[in-house]
Amino acid sequence: MTEAATRQAPKVAKKKLQGYVGFANYPNQVHRRSVKKGFNFTLMVVGEAGIGKSTLINTLFNTRVFPDKDESTIGETRRGVEISSMSAEIQENGVRLRLTVVDTPGFGDSINNDDCWQPILENIESRFDAYLTQENRVNRSKISDNRIHALIYLIKPTGHALRAIDIEFMKRMHTKVNLIPVITKSDTLTQDELVGFKSRIIADINYHGIQIFKPQWESFEDPEVINENKDMLSKIPFAVIGSDKIIEKPDGNRVRGRLYPWGIIEVENEKHNDFIKLRKMLVCTHMEELKDVTDSILYENHRSQKLVTMGHEQDNTVFREYNPTAQMEEERSVHEARMSKMESEMTAVFQQKVQEKESKLKQSEEELYARHKEMKQVLEKQRQELEEKKKRLDSQTRPITPLDKKQKKGLFNLS
Ligand SMILES: Nc1nc2c(ncn2[C@@H]2O[C@H](COP(=O)(O)OP(=O)(O)OP(=O)(O)O)[C@@H](O)[C@H]2O)c(=O)[nH]1
Ligand SMILES: [Mg+2]
């Protein structure tokens, strides 16, 4: 049998139900349970001062996650990156989402920005470490997941290409977090400028081997879903505008947007910017995938590296793919080895017993022989003694001569 054949999964027979069983309701049970528990999502936003981080987050979640800034603090020079997180519980149609947004004011603000990525990387890793510590606890029923599920990296709308600081930052982060590069304040670029800017960004990202988060799809999925994902992918990096202001249009409709002397730019208008695409990917379609990639790839990598540095090595033979034929073969050879060991042990015992018996027999034979010899000697001695006695007796007694015939006659005569 070829290896491929032995590796084939056991065949599952398809059975037709003859009546109602009810497990089709299982997804609803999962849905109810998840809704009851609520969801959590942690998002980090990185970008230099005044690039539009707070505005974007408030626009994305339609709430003031970040309060309005005190005017007096605008333009203040910061000593380094300050990382602050804010949580908000938001509800939509009865579904609760605990959203945590981690802001990083001060990024790229210093005169020397060589290591400005360092505190951010440390923050992401320390969240992984905290999760690992919780996982290693005896009681793991209440693990709180504070890992960063996505990082929105805001790119300044320069219209040129990525800056050295952008490349350095993304290179340092892409193995630790789902990177979502986003061009902010895209209202400052014309349509043509934006197309060229996006293609140069993508070229830079590819050239430097940076992994950014991209929507994935499977061939068996709905064609509509596939098209939606393809469309989403074609717009990456998303170019967005942010605004938490509601503006009244001349037709009376109230929209979220930015008001200019020449008109209004609407946030939620796909012709004006990619905000809808970004929000859809982040919230409607790929939130679970972002969490899943974080858990099963990014965190797993960090975790295994950490354990290796701590001196733990994984025995990969334990995690071999299950192959029933190979397992049977293995069990058979183990059984055979055990049997032959038992057999050789038994033979050894048998031989030892035989040897013991043989030596005992030999010993008793020798004893018997010795006794026999002794008795023979005794008998010989007795025989010799008797022989001697006989001789002696023979020599003492006269040889019996025939009685005097006369005497004998005389005797008879008497009668
Ligand atoms: N033209 C334009 N301006 C924007 C956009 N988004 C935000 N802004 C403006 O940019 C300024 C800074 O926005 P914030 O959201 O406070 O920027 P930030 O990155 O949070 O700033 P820090 O917290 O100081 O680092 C504000 O005046 C916003 O109104 C946008 O899409 N287009
Ligand atoms: Mg801010």
Side-chain angles (χ1 to χ4, degrees), residues 367-383:
E367 276 172 15
L368 267 172
Y369 182 71
R371 259 176 66 195
H372 171 77
K373 208 173 152 186
E374 207 178 311
M375 272 171 76
K376 212 174 153 188
Q377 277 171 355
V378 171
L379 282 172
E380 185 62 24
K381 210 174 157 190
Q382 277 179 358
R383 197 182 65 81

Side-chain angles (χ1 to χ4, degrees), residues 41 59-61 152 180 213 215 224-225 227-229 231-232 238 240 268 270 274-290:
F41 189 74
T59 319
L60 265 174
F61 294 97
I152 295 188
I180 305 177
F213 179 78
E224 212 172 291
V225 175
N227 284 340
E228 198 179 78
N229 277 305
D231 193 29
M232 224 174 236
F238 300 125
V240 302
E268 290 173 62
E270 295 217 46
D274 305 326
F275 174 81
I276 296 252
K277 290 247 162 12
L278 171 66
R279 188 176 62 188
K280 199 163 190 182
M281 186 180 91
L282 206 61
V283 186
C284 301
T285 56
H286 289 78
M287 190 178 259
E288 187 52 32
E289 197 182 321
L290 285 162

Side-chain angles (χ1 to χ4, degrees), residues 330-377:
E330 195 183 312
E331 278 172 10
R332 197 171 61 87
S333 66
V334 168
H335 180 73
E336 272 173 5
R338 204 185 310 141
M339 289 303 282
S340 75
K341 195 176 165 223
M342 266 168 72
E343 200 180 310
S344 64
E345 275 173 6
M346 275 167 72
T347 318
V349 170
F350 177 74
Q351 274 172 355
Q352 196 192 339
K353 286 248 155 83
V354 167
Q355 252 174 14
E356 277 173 15
K357 205 86 191 163
E358 262 179 0
S359 68
K360 253 188 192 161
L361 277 170
K362 216 170 174 180
Q363 203 184 336
S364 57
E365 191 188 324
E366 275 167 10
E367 276 172 15
L368 267 172
Y369 182 71
R371 259 176 66 195
H372 171 77
K373 208 173 152 186
E374 207 178 311
M375 272 171 76
K376 212 174 153 188
Q377 277 171 355

Side-chain angles (χ1 to χ4, degrees), residues 139-204:
N139 183 359
R140 307 194 304 175
S141 58
K142 279 208 170 84
I143 293 189
S144 55
D145 182 7
N146 291 319
R147 295 169 297 182
I148 305 287
H149 299 120
L151 186 152
I152 295 188
Y153 182 69
L154 298 187
I155 299 168
K156 217 172 165 180
T158 59
H160 298 288
L162 285 180
R163 297 167 306 161
I165 184 175
D166 302 327
I167 294 167
E168 180 70 10
F169 179 81
M170 292 204 267
K171 268 168 98 175
R172 300 277 177 181
M173 296 301 149
H174 71 145
T175 55
K176 298 285 170 185
V177 74
N178 285 309
L179 261 184
I180 305 177
V182 168
I183 304 165
T184 49
K185 303 192 182 180
S186 67
D187 50 319
T188 58
L189 295 173
T190 67
Q191 204 67 30
D192 291 345
E193 284 167 345
L194 205 57
V195 172
F197 191 38
K198 277 191 179 187
S199 68
R200 283 189 290 278
I201 291 173
I202 289 293
D204 273 349

